[in-house]
Amino acid sequence: MTILTERTAAAEGINPARARRAVRTLYAGPTLTAADLSAPLLALPDGGQVETALPGAVPLPGVRETVTRWAELGIFGVKVFAYGHDRDGRAGGALLPGNRMVRAIAAVKAAAPGTAVTSEVCGCSWTDHGRCLLLTGDGRIDLDATYALMAAMAVQHADAGVDVVSPTAMLDGSVRVVRAALDEAGHRDVGVNPNLAIHTGLYGPFKALMATDPRSGHRRGLQLEPGRAERDTLVQARRWIAEGADSLTLQPVMTAVDVLVRLRDDQSVPVVAYSTSGEWAALKALGAAGMTEYLGMLKRAGADQILTFAAETAARHLEADRA
């Protein structure tokens, strides 16, 4: 009888886990699917110029066709952002009946009732200064007014059919206020998914397209500092959960995979990894196969759902790969 030592087995290429295709398939482990992907939907004004826009940037009349196409590919998550055309210092347009966000939410639900719709609850698309929050006359943060705005927006979006609201301005207390407002309005089954936003240059294309770049040029103070991201993200996540968050979104994920791993180890709630607009150029350069591998890595790192402008391209690649 021949006894194979570890050294001789390795030399002869004997490895039962890769010996046959059926065995390799058996041991392959979880793989990325289209159901792991959500897509940003950027609702633009009718007749908006979208030739050079990010994927998912469409005027309202194009929402139905876009969302239907995604659903046919197996993408059943959409996060809606709206270009606020009625801007003033108090974000009044955000609460107008039938505004673009409300109509976009309704259009998604009408086109794909089974699609989970998340909405951005933030003032940046609606204020004339581009800030996420409201200001007092002397330029300080008006916390009470900002909380009231976020709460009213959340209820309005829930009335329109949204499944999850995402408070974007990282203000302590905002999740608690939004959760209370939803409950009081009878929307106890609408989830709250706050952002864990790290300061980065990878938000640039979105800010340019949606005209949300604040006059100050940055949002430092309302975002986590990159050098402390791993520690501060865990602290903020625990605060959001204590305030009533049901899930969390980490962004941008391309430069924070280490943070994603730590967050996954620390929290049991669903975690969304947001591959933001600035990542799209890099992912395009990778091609469909490369971007799909990248998104698969985010799933392995702990993401329960991946919000990405690459969702449609990756879903089509996965579909072709199965054929």
Side-chain angles (χ1 to χ4, degrees), residues 107-305:
V108 174
K109 277 300 185 182
T115 290
V117 181
T118 302
S119 67
E120 182 192 48
V121 174
C122 186
C124 62
S125 290
W126 308 94
T127 54
D128 55 9
H129 48 68
R131 297 286 295 276
C132 298
L133 37 77
L134 303 183
L135 304 174
T136 62
D138 57 2
R140 293 178 298 166
I141 297 174
D142 190 337
L143 277 177
D144 290 341
T146 301
Y147 289 154
L149 171 67
M150 296 173 73
M153 288 179 71
V155 172
Q156 182 194 57
H157 298 178
D159 289 342
V162 84
D163 300 292
V164 179
V165 295
S166 184
T168 302
M170 289 180 56
L171 293 171
D172 287 351
S174 59
V175 170
R176 182 179 294 111
V177 168
V178 165
R179 179 71 270 164
L182 289 170
D183 291 349
E184 185 176 348
H187 294 299
R188 294 181 180 274
D189 57 347
V190 172
V192 179
N193 174 284
N195 278 1
L196 295 163
I198 301 169
H199 182 72
T200 179
L202 294 176
Y203 303 135
F206 174 92
K207 292 194 296 183
L209 177 66
M210 304 297 280
T212 61
D213 208 4
R215 290 177 186 171
S216 61
H218 63 80
R219 292 194 169 89
R220 293 201 119 124
L222 293 177
Q223 295 175 340
L224 303 173
E225 288 296 321
R228 293 182 52 88
E230 188 172 325
R231 290 169 290 173
D232 290 354
T233 296
L234 300 186
V235 172
Q236 191 65 58
R238 292 167 189 169
R239 287 178 181 168
W240 288 152
I241 298 303
E243 289 191 23
D246 304 289
S247 56
L248 302 163
T249 289
L250 175 67
Q251 63 182 58
V253 71
M254 177 177 279
T255 53
V257 177
D258 58 329
V259 180
L260 173 61
V261 172
R262 286 293 306 279
L263 182 62
R264 175 73 292 154
D265 289 342
D266 189 69
Q267 292 293 332
S268 58
V269 301
V271 173
V272 179
Y274 186 6
S275 177
T276 56
S277 61
E279 300 179 31
W280 173 239
L283 294 180
K284 282 196 300 183
L286 288 176
M291 71 175 64
T292 303
E293 290 181 22
Y294 165 71
L295 299 174
M297 178 271 293
L298 297 181
K299 179 177 179 177
R300 292 196 308 273
D304 295 285
Q305 189 69 193

Side-chain angles (χ1 to χ4, degrees), residues 15-32 321-322:
N15 186 334
R18 66 167 185 251
R20 297 184 178 183
R21 180 174 181 177
V23 177
R24 295 197 306 273
T25 301
L26 183 67
Y27 295 153
T31 58
L32 185 74
D321 202 39
R322 290 193 307 268

